[in-house]
Amino acid sequence: MKLEATSALVTGGGSGLGAATARLLARHGAMVHVFDRNREAAEAVAAEIGGVAVFGDVTSEADAAAALDVANAAGDGLRILVNCAGIGLAGRILGKAGPLPLADFETVIRINLVGSFNMLRLAAERMAGLAERDDKARGVIVNTASVAAFEGQIGQAAYAASKGGIVAMALPAAREFARFGIRVNTIAPGIFMTPLLANLPTEAQESLAAAIPFPARLGDPAEFADAVRFAVENNYLNGEVIRLDGAIRLQPK
């Protein structure tokens, strides 16, 4: 799927991996819609890249549909969805204060997994009604998982479960959408320099980086964005989960 003059929507586009992705897509000519629940952040990124800010919650059917409709009205319709919205919440299943509150588990699952599924299903509905492009393609969806989906650490049960669900969803979604010419891929990043990690002390950042075989540093969000570009532009890549992690394998804790 070409990027130039193509309508794209990036969830969580107001910061971190989502903002880096929005910037890269815009640099390559895409008409980028920055979807975030933080209105100011979405507006700032959209103003920077010449895109469109849309606001709302990825878990809300109404908010998601409204944002997707805006993107679908641009160009020849919504062709690219990149799901970057998500949260991390640490907590042992059985901690000193007792079991992990069920509400905490449900919140992580709802935002990370249900939110991604909500956007995917509604975007696919719109893409399926568009005219075919080259190679009978109509659209492409890129989801964001995590290496925690494969090696969840102690305290990451909720987060790992949410990202594991995103990994498991890639292939059945790709198979189902094949008849519409819609591809689905997933990127599983390792430890990246997101706003959350940027607030950690230098010593903590260096400790995290030392665990990464090569390159021994935190990932640059621009590198994640470049992987998204590859997943969008390579029309033969479908149903795949790409680890982007410097060969790290997470230890138990």
Side-chain angles (χ1 to χ4, degrees), residues 198-217:
N199 290 328
L200 292 177
T202 301
E203 295 79 8
Q205 294 181 24
E206 291 175 348
S207 177
L208 290 170
I212 302 170
F214 184 81
R217 59 170 173 78

Side-chain angles (χ1 to χ4, degrees), residues 116-131:
S116 293
F117 179 77
N118 188 37
M119 296 300 301
L120 175 143
R121 71 188 183 95
L122 296 176
E125 177 187 26
R126 287 152 178 77
M127 292 175 180
L130 301 177

Side-chain angles (χ1 to χ4, degrees), residues 63-122:
D63 288 358
L68 291 165
D69 284 342
V70 172
N72 202 37
D76 64 347
L78 173 69
R79 300 288 182 172
I80 301 166
L81 168 67
V82 185
N83 277 318
C84 292
I87 63 169
L89 188 152
R92 290 175 180 255
I93 300 170
L94 185 57
K96 293 180 179 179
L100 181 74
L102 188 58
D104 289 355
F105 184 87
E106 290 176 334
T107 296
V108 176
I109 296 295
R110 181 157 184 79
I111 294 174
N112 293 356
L113 179 56
V114 176
S116 293
F117 179 77
N118 188 37
M119 296 300 301
L120 175 143
R121 71 188 183 95
L122 296 176

Side-chain angles (χ1 to χ4, degrees), residues 15-16 56 59 66 102 108 115 119 125 169 177 180 186 189 211 228 242:
S15 65
T59 68
L102 188 58
V108 176
M119 296 300 301
E125 177 187 26
M169 185 167 61
F177 297 162
F180 301 116
T186 300
V228 171
I242 302 172

Side-chain angles (χ1 to χ4, degrees), residues 17 112 143-154 156-167 186-192 197 208 211-213 217-219 224 241-252:
L17 302 180
N112 293 356
N143 292 321
T144 303
S146 165
V147 294
F150 309 101
E151 302 115 31
Q153 296 181 300
I154 293 171
Q156 283 189 321
Y159 183 72
S162 71
K163 295 301 187 177
I166 291 172
V167 167
T186 300
I187 299 173
I191 306 174
F192 273 69
L197 289 184
L208 290 170
I212 302 170
R217 59 170 173 78
L218 302 183
F224 174 87
V241 178
I242 302 172
R243 289 186 65 131
L244 189 68
D245 58 21
I248 194 172
R249 297 297 181 265
L250 300 180
Q251 299 303 305

